[in-house]
Amino acid sequence: MTSPQASTPSNRTTTVNSLHEGIVNTSVQAGHITGGVTIHEARFDPPPPFQGPQVPPAWVDRDAELRSLYQLLDPPQRTAGIQIISLHGPHGIGKSALAARILKELVGRYPGGQLYVDMRGSEPEGSRTAANALGQLLRAMWPGPLPAAEDELVGWWRSVTAGRPPLCVLLDNVADAAVVRRLLPGGTGHLVVATSQSRFAELAADGADLHELGPLPPDAARAYLTRCVGDERLRAEPEPTSRLLSLAAGVPQALRLTVGQLAQHPHRPVSSIVRALLDSQRNVAARRPSLRLPGAIVTTHLDTTYADLPRGAARSYRHLALLPLDDIDVSLTSALSGFGEEEAASALGALAAAHLLEQAAQHEVRGAVYRWPSAEIRQYGRERALAEATDGEAQEILRRALRWALAATATADALITPSHSKSLPGARPQHDAPAIFTDRASAMAWLKAAADSVLALIRAGHAAGEWDLTWRVSWSLWPWWRSDRRYSEWIEIHRLALEAVRRCQDPAAEMRILSTLGVGLRGAGELDEAIGCFQQAREMADREKDQYMVGQALHELGATLVTAQRFQDAVPFLEQASEVRLSIGYTRGVALTNILLGQVASHNDDHEQACRLFSNARDALLDMDDPHDAARALAWRGRVTALVGDISAAETTLRTAHNEFVVVEAPSWAARTIEWLGEIAEGDDRVEEASALYAESLTRYERLNPLDAERLRQRLRALA
């Protein structure tokens, strides 16, 4: 067997670019990359995650509760297992704030980090599932793909946390004690704090400490009001101030809304606010006679706050509250309410000033990002929206939100993966929404930041029968699906999209949704079901005489068989896929199929044919401006080059591929190329170098996939 003709990765002119140690978050911008790119990285591990809600700046009292909880957590009294603290009480009573205060004080005791999940136990759409919460928790530590099944996620979560230093998990707004048990970390020394409106007596059997939270005492409530609005104003009207405090009844959320009223109207008499609250109190009693304390107190204060909002802010509040979203920005608000960006920003600012929203972050692309301070505030806005809406208005608001999501995701798809964007004629209808971003980097940053909101809108669209928009948004999310590989949501959302597109009776779209669902199933290891999807897509493509999708389905069937190590079974599908794609001039598709055929040739020890296929694929993909797949072809060529004995060329090729994967932000492939370099060094009896490369690959895999990480540990043990 002869070795490949060229000793460099491509016959093209080699261009060497270098970025040296000390540069963090390396990025190279280029149309495409040829030759060698050398990036000398300064290695650093990400710090432990420290999440959680903001501790209220104006903190008063709760001293007795804090003392009691800190005594439980003193090191001499800590058990060898996991400590569970359950805080329960009615909504608006300050459970989340107290939990946040506990976490802030315990930063030094739990060096493994602090994780936060809002379980949304009070949301009208239902609480967050354990699987969804596990995905969020794991992604804080593992940026790579996760399994789809809940039981597997539980196992991963406990495996990941078993070897970590003690960490703290805050599960906020939990509706079911059984979910708390599913989310318990592995190992020992960890702390789990859960907040709920219900007393979770069943957790006592797990050693949980149950604490009920009540209203603030009168002195603490007055101290809070004094700190926020000043003593002079309150002393000027002592009787109205006492009445104001009585109406709030020590409920922190009511006090916070009162502060918003006083702060927005510094010259308004306290007695005027008291009169407005008394009017609201009577209206609430008449409108909702069964409402119990402290719900009636909070609703009374929300009535008064809502009545005082500017018209545009009130409109945005109602519209936003209809949507099942955790975060909100100017672009979305503009699309919902028909405002310009300046007016939308003003409306959000007014809602934040009234304490109906709070700013959560300042994002590089989205700008100011807001969230609901509590589920009750969102629920109140939703009730006002439904009470004041004209027929069909709620459905129209959801439709506008979905159109906004489609405008953004379709634009991102066209920027990041233009070949995918163009593969379905008619998939990008015209939209009036303003451009949120104009380049690949900002498009991907937006997708990563807004993905959970988009997924929530897809679920809501499906539930409301917005079939066309449901499947279109799911389809246009392709760059994010490919990047983040969150297979649990990938499969869930594409099942919804498949039902939606079938309702639309659009065979061209249905074939493509089937194919994308199959890719997700394959990534999750559900190979038989993936094959079923691709077979359905192929049968439909034959009936519809859609040669593009015939080739796509054949390619994916071959890819799935290669994944299953059924190389010989894969060959007929891949050869047919290549023929079909060549016949319709789909050059990029031929190149992608050639990468798979190259793997089959390598498995059959036809290394010369494998190198030829990989080289042809790389050249074609570079011409098509597809740096990610071009780097894949190069990496496979490097591996085969090693098999024919040209060690120097193989190492040069793999290092170049590794650097290209760094540039295109493909961490899993970057880890794989380092592992392959370790294999070469081990086969060349450079044991020390192989050990160092395996250790480097292990470091990367530990942040991506525990199964890959375990394989590298076995390699290191074998070397030792």
Side-chain angles (χ1 to χ4, degrees), residues 419-433:
S419 60
H420 177 269
S421 175
K422 297 172 184 175
S423 65
L424 178 58
R428 293 190 65 220
Q430 295 299 313
H431 303 288
D432 297 328

Side-chain angles (χ1 to χ4, degrees), residues 471-490:
W471 77 256
R472 288 183 185 277
V473 178
S474 306
W475 166 261
S476 296
L477 261 180
W478 170 251
W480 180 77
W481 294 123
R482 187 180 75 166
S483 171
D484 278 40
R485 293 180 288 173
R486 284 163 51 174
Y487 291 125
S488 176
E489 286 114 328
W490 184 324

